Amino acid sequence: MKGSREKAASELFAALYPSLAGWCRRLVDDDGTAHEIASEAFTRLWSRWTAVAEPRGFLYVTAANLVRDHWRKLERERRAVRRATVEAAVGPRNEQADPSVRLLVQSLPGRLRVPILLHYYADMPIREVAALTGRKEGTIKADLHAARELLRAHLRRSLDHTL
């Protein structure tokens, strides 16, 4: 019984994985991400193998949901970078000297970095950031302000060196 289940799973993988990964590739425009999504869809199928009546449909619906999650994550990252850049910018951009906002955020102390990542990158409201970190909303607001000031100072120093 177990051997026939494994054989059926293996045959299904061989038959559907290439087309599922190709479909994902067209949606996300990245080979690595497409393979991750297709693999994750199969992993989720295997965990429910006996309960899924239509494996092909399950795989494509699951992959579509994972693609949507990927798109949402990319959009959150784009918005966060735009917001952080607008709030931290003090002058015209100099592409060669302008440090990566991501690297600057990574260099912040953890107490400041976590609220920035949750609020700007994960798009969480201050109330939720406070609940997740176990800190008061006022503290989170102060930490966000302090982090923006540090980012602004880093950018100001970077721009001063290029002028």
Side-chain angles (χ1 to χ4, degrees), residues 77-149:
E77 289 172 354
R78 281 187 207 110
R79 279 195 315 261
V81 167
R82 273 195 307 267
R83 263 189 266 155
T85 302
V86 166
E87 290 179 8
V90 294
R93 293 182 56 114
N94 179 334
E95 292 299 326
Q96 286 183 320
D98 188 22
S100 164
V101 173
R102 186 172 139 215
L103 291 174
L104 289 175
V105 169
Q106 288 174 344
S107 73
L108 291 170
R111 171 183 72 80
L112 301 177
R113 183 178 53 248
V114 170
I116 286 283
L117 291 174
L118 293 176
H119 183 65
Y120 291 112
Y121 284 78
D123 208 23
M124 292 182 183
I126 289 172
R127 170 183 19 83
E128 195 172 341
V129 173
L132 286 172
T133 59
R135 291 158 43 200
K136 294 181 180 179
E137 287 184 37
T139 303
I140 296 301
K141 289 177 184 177
D143 288 346
L144 289 171
H145 176 75
R148 287 190 303 267
E149 288 301 313

